[in-house]
């Protein structure tokens, strides 16, 4: 697995809430245009569809889940990114994205996603959860 991470000056719960909120995904995920899921926030085993930036809809399923800490998914049946949140202090967390080794060109996309997540987390966006 490849990894990229970023310290974000917000409590871990704030970052986690944005990572699991499908309505927030297009705001921080450069490759996500829209999401169709049975609930606003994902959980273990949740299935739905994600619309990629080019407009293609692909099915997804959450395959790994540790509440408040990490989740991973398959998109179109292929293992995709993993998402990990760790508290560093009560007011700072570290978010790590894991990328399959066969997808090194996706690393810059994930680095941009982390910066967008940071900006969204510390910005004036309404509280999610």
């Amino acid at each position: 697995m490849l990894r990229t991470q970023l310290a974000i000056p917000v409590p871990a719960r704030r970052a986690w809430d944005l990572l699991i909120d499908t309505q927030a995904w297009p705001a921080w995920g450069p490759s996500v245009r829209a999401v169709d899921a049975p609930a606003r926030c994902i959980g273990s085993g949740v299935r739905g569809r994600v619309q990629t930036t080019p407009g293609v809809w692909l099915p997804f399923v959450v395959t790994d889940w540790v509440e408040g800490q990490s989740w991973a998914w398959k998109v179109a049946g292929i293992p995709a990114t993993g998402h990990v949140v760790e508290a560093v202090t009560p007011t700072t967390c570290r978010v790590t994205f894991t990328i399959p080794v066969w997808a090194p060109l996706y690393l810059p996309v994930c680095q941009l996603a982390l910066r967008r997540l940071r900006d969204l987390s510390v910005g004036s966006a309404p509280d999610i959860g």
Side-chain angles (χ1 to χ4, degrees):
M1 283 286 175
L2 303 173
R3 298 180 190 282
T4 186
Q5 60 186 8
L6 185 66
I8 301 177
V10 297
R13 187 70 212 190
R14 172 70 176 150
W16 175 258
D17 287 346
L18 288 168
L19 285 172
I20 66 169
D21 181 352
T22 61
Q23 289 183 10
W25 289 1
W28 60 262
S31 59
V32 177
R33 182 184 286 178
V35 181
D36 177 24
R40 178 174 174 165
C41 293
I42 60 165
S44 181
V46 167
R47 294 177 178 274
R49 298 184 311 150
V50 63
Q51 186 181 32
T52 62
T53 305
V56 177
W57 284 96
L58 299 173
F60 75 81
V61 60
V62 176
T63 55
D64 299 301
W65 182 267
V66 178
E67 174 61 36
Q69 295 178 21
S70 65
W71 66 273
W73 62 340
K74 287 185 178 180
V75 178
I78 299 169
T81 49
H83 311 76
V84 180
V85 179
E86 302 167 274
V88 176
T89 70
T91 59
T92 303
C93 66
R94 179 177 24 260
V95 177
T96 302
F97 288 165
T98 59
I99 301 110
V101 69
W102 52 263
L105 296 178
Y106 200 60
L107 192 58
V109 174
C110 289
Q111 291 167 336
L112 176 58
L114 285 170
R115 291 190 304 271
R116 287 181 174 183
L117 182 68
R118 176 199 58 211
D119 294 347
L120 187 61
S121 296
V122 299
S124 59
D127 286 332
I128 305 293

